[in-house]
Amino acid sequence: MEKLFQLKENKTTVRREIVAGITTFVSMAYIFFLNPQILGQTGIPTQAVFLAAILVAVFGTLFMGLFANVPFALAPGIGMQAYFTYTIVFGFGFTWQQALAIVFLVGLVDIVITLTHGRRAIVQGIPSELKAAIGGGIGLFVTYIGLKNAGFINFIVDPGNIITLNGKPFTGEVHGALNSILANGSVTPELTKFNSSSTVLALIGFIILIVLVMRRVPGAFLISLIVTTLIGIPMDVTNTHIGAGTSVGHAFGELGHVFGQSLGAQGIGSLFNNWHNTSLALVTIFAMGLSGLFDAIGTLIGIGNQTGIFSKQDQKAFDSSNGFNSKMDRALIVDTFTTALAGIVGTSNTTTFIESASGVAAGARTGLANIVTAIGFALMILFAPFVGVVPTAATSPLLILVGIMMMGEFKKISWESLEVAIPAFFTSVFMAFSYSISYGIAAGFIFFIIVKFALGKFKEVSPVLLIVSAFFLINFVVLALIH
């Protein structure tokens, strides 16, 4: 144990690592109920998504603990879940099989970038303000989805107009009766009147979550999820029916129909069959990969450096790209391989979860804590029959609060300077309003170049930013010509 995890060198003990690993598990367990609710709207069997997320999280968390020896757990990221469903499938019109193929390709691209150290050029070539705007923009995106799914934003039917998403009418159950509303015309958002049991339950759940988080209760997200679900029973919002088709065995049967679909004819085999799909797929792969890279590095550096998990030597080795001897380099390798696996198994992109900070705060310093967390994840398989029990009203508050937490990225932006504010604004706002992380990144990069050109500071634009922006522009031209 000592030889494998170097406990004495990292000034920790077996008991402390076990307690910390359990803490991280409790903090992250909610994600396995949230994931199928979001991805299930695309048509993927919800129990298959539930198991896929668990399998990928177990693999990534174990891999991170054994290979990188750091206490950072992995699971499907909330921002990428939303992007998968509301942009790639509902917005761009891809099938869930094609969307999984995109996730797999994102993992492959990230693996190449990481192994060739191209990630250093990308990280250093993109201004920190734009990185912060990307993080904050994803937060706005997630918050809006949470508000809408909770029913805090209602819709009024206007048959004379049709609201569209990226040029197409909404499809799928984005929330409640949105499908039937759209069948009769367009929708106009307005504040809710709280005359729905589901919306009232979501409000109760959000208040419970806020109280628990503000009181710093361990596992606040999971506790809120469970309590809100229980409160929903007498309100007739929670589905208490658990039939024969919701057993663990049935869940594995569903997973068998999803596993590997990304690599088949309906997945990657049909992803590049025309210019329209090819253009959108390439942009999406790049945008998802870029977002995932910034997310992983931000989490690793933010938690690791503050706690001493990453030494100054680790940071120096990462910055200089000398081999893969640093913990940070190995952690990034794990992150990329796990995303590629996610696309094969049947879930959205994985990421290094910020909730790992709860375990680190409890004393985790080595990969031993990850082993404990992974065991907890594996035991979650037993809860597969309860996937359909948790109502949207119980998960929506989690999305809203996660979005709020991501707003902290905006404080890294110098809003008083228009030189910084203009590209940062378009990056974040386009993400939320266009339902597309891709378009947000494109808008931010292009306006950054325009601003620098206007100020005569074109030399400050890195080659990486120019190449990426040119790629986005070519994509827009192709899409315009096709339509």
Side-chain angles (χ1 to χ4, degrees):
M1 190 78 70
E2 170 61 34
K3 184 178 180 180
L4 181 61
F5 297 108
Q6 302 170 344
L7 301 178
K8 290 183 180 179
E9 181 181 330
N10 288 283
K11 300 177 182 179
T12 186
T13 63
V14 172
R15 181 181 181 280
R16 185 182 300 169
E17 293 293 304
I18 292 175
V19 171
I22 294 173
T23 301
T24 299
F25 161 69
V26 172
S27 299
M28 288 181 58
Y30 74 92
I31 194 64
F32 300 114
F33 293 99
L34 180 61
N35 193 50
Q37 282 212 354
I38 297 179
L39 267 62
Q41 297 175 36
T42 67
I44 309 179
T46 55
Q47 287 190 307
V49 176
F50 180 79
L51 290 182
I54 290 175
L55 294 177
V56 169
V58 170
F59 168 82
T61 303
L62 283 176
F63 193 10
M64 183 73 80
L66 295 172
F67 181 63
N69 193 27
V70 291
F72 297 105
L74 289 89
I78 294 177
M80 291 300 102
Q81 291 172 15
Y83 190 41
F84 183 102
T85 297
Y86 299 106
T87 299
I88 299 176
V89 177
F90 292 168
F92 292 161
F94 288 112
T95 64
W96 61 263
Q97 293 94 335
Q98 291 172 325
L100 288 176
I102 288 175
V103 172
F104 170 69
L105 292 174
V106 167
L108 286 187
V109 171
D110 280 350
I111 288 172
V112 173
I113 290 174
T114 301
L115 294 180
T116 59
H117 299 297
R119 49 102 172 92
R120 178 172 176 264
I122 293 175
V123 171
Q124 294 182 347
I126 297 175
S128 58
E129 291 89 354
L130 287 182
K131 296 173 192 173
I134 290 172
I138 294 175
L140 284 174
F141 182 29
V142 170
T143 300
Y144 179 64
I145 291 171
L147 290 170
K148 183 152 53 62
N149 287 357
F152 294 164
I153 298 175
N154 276 337
F155 298 88
I156 302 299
V157 179
D158 177 9
N161 236 335
I162 291 186
I163 191 169
T164 61
L165 174 64
N166 292 328
K168 299 179 180 179
F170 281 97
T171 57
E173 275 187 334
V174 178
H175 85 83
L178 184 55
N179 271 342
S180 60
I181 290 175
L182 287 169
N184 297 311
S186 75
V187 291
T188 303
E190 74 164 12
L191 292 178
T192 183
K193 295 182 175 63
F194 290 97
N195 54 3
S196 163
S197 298
S198 179
T199 303
V200 172
L201 179 61
L203 179 61
I204 293 172
F206 190 53
I207 293 172
I208 292 172
L209 179 59
I210 290 176
V211 171
L212 292 174
V213 170
M214 296 308 295
R215 297 292 298 178
R216 299 181 183 277
V217 176
F221 277 50
L222 180 61
I223 294 173
S224 169
L225 185 78
I226 295 172
V227 173
T228 306
T229 299
L230 293 175
I231 294 174
I233 295 176
M235 296 177 67
D236 200 27
V237 177
T238 300
N239 173 26
T240 57
H241 176 69
I242 302 177
T246 56
S247 65
V248 174
H250 181 267
F252 274 100
E254 286 192 346
L255 181 63
H257 294 296
V258 174
F259 189 95
Q261 286 294 308
S262 61
L263 305 180
Q266 291 181 304
I268 198 169
S270 63
L271 193 59
F272 303 103
N273 56 3
N274 59 63
W275 280 106
H276 179 267
N277 281 358
T278 300
S279 180
L280 285 178
L282 290 176
V283 168
T284 303
I285 290 168
F286 174 78
M288 291 183 87
L290 200 62
S291 300
L293 180 64
F294 293 157
D295 190 9
I297 291 177
T299 300
L300 292 171
I301 292 178
I303 301 175
N305 286 359
Q306 292 176 10
T307 57
I309 291 175
F310 294 131
S311 64
K312 292 182 178 179
Q313 289 79 7
D314 281 321
Q315 182 67 58
K316 185 176 181 181
F318 174 75
D319 291 336
S320 62
S321 293
N322 292 326
F324 296 96
N325 297 318
S326 75
K327 291 181 180 179
M328 195 178 300
D329 276 307
R330 294 197 293 270
L332 281 175
I333 290 175
V334 173
D335 193 278
T336 56
F337 273 94
T338 307
T339 288
L341 178 65
I344 297 175
V345 177
T347 187
S348 54
N349 312 51
T350 57
T351 188
T352 304
F353 256 64
I354 192 65
E355 279 83 352
S356 298
S358 63
V360 173
R365 291 296 180 273
T366 72
L368 177 58
N370 267 28
I371 307 304
V372 177
T373 301
I375 292 173
F377 288 164
L379 293 175
M380 288 292 293
I381 292 175
L382 300 175
F383 291 90
F386 298 94
V387 171
V389 173
V390 180
T392 303
T395 56
S396 298
L398 309 183
L399 289 172
I400 297 171
L401 192 57
V402 167
I404 292 173
M405 291 174 171
M406 294 180 74
M407 294 297 101
E409 290 295 305
F410 287 138
K411 69 182 180 182
K412 302 176 183 178
I413 301 170
S414 302
W415 293 105
E416 67 279 3
S417 170
L418 283 178
E419 180 180 351
V420 173
I422 290 175
F425 173 82
F426 279 108
T427 299
S428 54
V429 171
F430 266 55
M431 281 188 188
F433 292 170
S434 72
Y435 260 50
S436 173
I437 294 175
S438 305
Y439 292 165
I441 293 176
F445 285 9
I446 292 170
F447 275 100
F448 179 85
I449 294 174
I450 292 173
V451 167
K452 291 299 181 182
F453 180 79
L455 294 174
K457 299 181 179 180
F458 196 72
K459 290 183 178 180
E460 294 183 10
V461 181
S462 69
V464 171
L465 205 62
L466 284 173
I467 294 171
V468 171
S469 299
F471 178 70
F472 277 127
L473 285 173
I474 292 172
N475 170 71
F476 291 142
V477 171
V478 170
L479 291 179
L481 291 175
I482 291 174
H483 289 291

